[in-house]
Amino acid sequence: GEDVEQSLFLSVREGDSSVINCTYTDSSSTYLYWYKQEPGAGLQLLTYIFSNMDMKQDQRLTVLLNKKDKHLSLRIADTQTGDSAIYFCAEMKSDRGSTLGRLYFGRGTQLTVWP
Amino acid sequence: SAVISQKPSRDICQRGTSLTIQCQVDSQVTMMFWYRQQPGQSLTLIATANQGSEATYESGFVIDKFPISRPNLTFSTLTVSNMSPEDSSIYLCSVSVTSYEQYFGPGTRLTVT
């Protein structure tokens, strides 16, 4: 596909795990990212994974990368109400022969955590 | 990482006027970017602000509408010119700290009436 795809909404109960999925476009993308946007705020870089890895864990966050299917997921363990936010998936692709890649974003997944 | 501030944080403007948004970083960075985030949409890159040269604009964005300045390695401005209601968006500044880490400012929420 042409665009980074994410489901738009996810609701979970507090204490459960959340899994946010993303399909990206380019199998040669070097880095894949998850950003978090809380209401009224900018984007916070949550985590990223290099394309030669298939998993990265950082405290409650686990990122899984399936390069064959161009699929990225973010798992949040023990989800809290403070995790309620929009989560953006992004891929870095090199453009126009530049050594610096640019980011392409999905539309974001609104995560709602119910107490 | 980098600490990025933007001014103003929000504004309501009349159509036909212009607004200049400022972006300040707490350290020197090579690459600064301006994005637009329309409601319910993904982020769209407007341009890359280059220090000492003209900005590089993405398809669909032109310098006359979105002039950009980058006078030094810690500061940039984006002007939204001759505004219309369709320009109502969040405008975000971002910087590359390394070739693979990009950080964002808090955004400027613009409403054009």
Side-chain angles (χ1 to χ4, degrees), chain A residues 33 35 37 40-41 48 102 106, chain B residues 37 42 58 100-102 109:
Chain A
Y33 301 82
Y35 284 85
Q37 187 178 37
Y48 58 88
R102 58 164 289 186
Chain B
Q37 183 184 16
S42 69
E58 297 299 309
Y100 53 89
E101 288 178 310
Q102 195 168 124
R109 281 147 187 82

Side-chain angles (χ1 to χ4, degrees), chain A residues 20-31:
Chain A
I20 304 172
N21 294 301
C22 168
T23 302
Y24 60 98
T25 67
D26 191 342
S27 57
S28 64
S29 290
T30 51
Y31 286 89

